[in-house]
Amino acid sequence: MSNLQQRVISAIVMAAATLTLTWLGGLPFRLFCATIAALIFYEWTRMSRPGNGSTLGFLPEALIAVFIVALIAGLPALWLLLLVAALTAVGAVAARLRGAAQWEASGLAYASLSGFSLAYLRDDNHSGLIAILFLFAVVWATDIAAYFVGRAVGGPKLAPSISPGKTQSGALGGAVGGVVAGLLLAIVAGAGNLIQLGLAALALSIISQIGDLFESWVKRRHGCKDSSNLIPGHGGVMDRVDGLVAAAFALYVIGWIAAGADHPALGLFPN
């Protein structure tokens, strides 16, 4: 089977599984988000740890396990955010006492906020479902449009020292594609605040591309081509969700400002 065939099959399976769990919401979706957080943490530490293993022993794994249990249990959003801050602080202090780098504490924060944002943005109501679908539409359309526009138009590189394949034309095309897809989803969902959602879609598209570049920088910093080989034809989980989790956190913050920490989607798509 060719690499292209593997990529297509993997993409179809991942999209089907993701959309099914998104539709179900509740505990199945929280388990899905917890799995994403665990795999991101695994890949982050796999890239950043020295060859002889972690200098902190099993402490980082214990800390991420505490977060995962709390996420699955559905701890209120603010309490879970405080827990993430506390766990990250413990990891950072332990690293400082051992004279180690702060990569594991950073990975703990990155993985935890990724799972948290997706889970609490989805919530258990119709607004949460629409908000997550809006997020998916923007981020996936951004990726697709950026790829095809970049290949067709070419031109100056976006960040050659970080990701040599990305172009400025691709970034612009991705932003346009993301806004169009987000607005189409909003119209189908019957949303009335299209100007605000259009601006949100533009912000999310830009942030998702920044998230993509950030993950590329982390990989380049540690001399890795892919974050892992867990997904046939695609590399690792981080390689697939880098832009998504960055945009998810941004959309969660927007919704939090509008409607509160526990039900942020209501601020974006009122019932």
Side-chain angles (χ1 to χ4, degrees), residues 176-202:
V176 173
V179 171
V180 170
L183 286 176
L184 287 175
L185 188 284
I187 291 170
V188 170
N193 50 339
L194 294 181
I195 294 178
Q196 295 91 325
L197 290 174
L199 292 173
L202 177 59

Side-chain angles (χ1 to χ4, degrees), residues 97-191:
L97 291 175
R98 293 289 185 91
Q102 294 292 338
W103 282 104
E104 304 219 17
S106 301
L108 178 64
Y110 181 75
S112 298
L113 290 176
S114 298
F116 167 85
S117 301
L118 289 167
Y120 284 79
L121 186 62
R122 170 59 179 92
D123 205 358
D124 287 327
N125 53 41
H126 180 70
S127 294
L129 173 61
I130 300 304
I132 282 287
L133 293 178
F134 176 78
L135 173 72
F136 290 163
V138 172
V139 174
W140 292 349
T142 295
D143 286 345
I144 294 169
Y147 175 78
F148 284 106
V149 172
R151 285 178 63 90
V153 178
K157 300 298 183 180
L158 180 63
S161 63
I162 299 175
S163 184
K166 291 181 172 58
T167 61
Q168 294 177 19
S169 63
L172 180 59
V176 173
V179 171
V180 170
L183 286 176
L184 287 175
L185 188 284
I187 291 170
V188 170

Side-chain angles (χ1 to χ4, degrees), residues 76-78 81 113 116-122 135 204 246-258 260-265 268:
L78 288 178
L81 282 172
L113 290 176
F116 167 85
S117 301
L118 289 167
Y120 284 79
L121 186 62
R122 170 59 179 92
L135 173 72
L204 295 180
F249 182 68
L251 190 59
Y252 175 84
V253 171
I254 293 171
W256 179 359
I257 293 171
D262 286 306
H263 305 289
L268 303 162

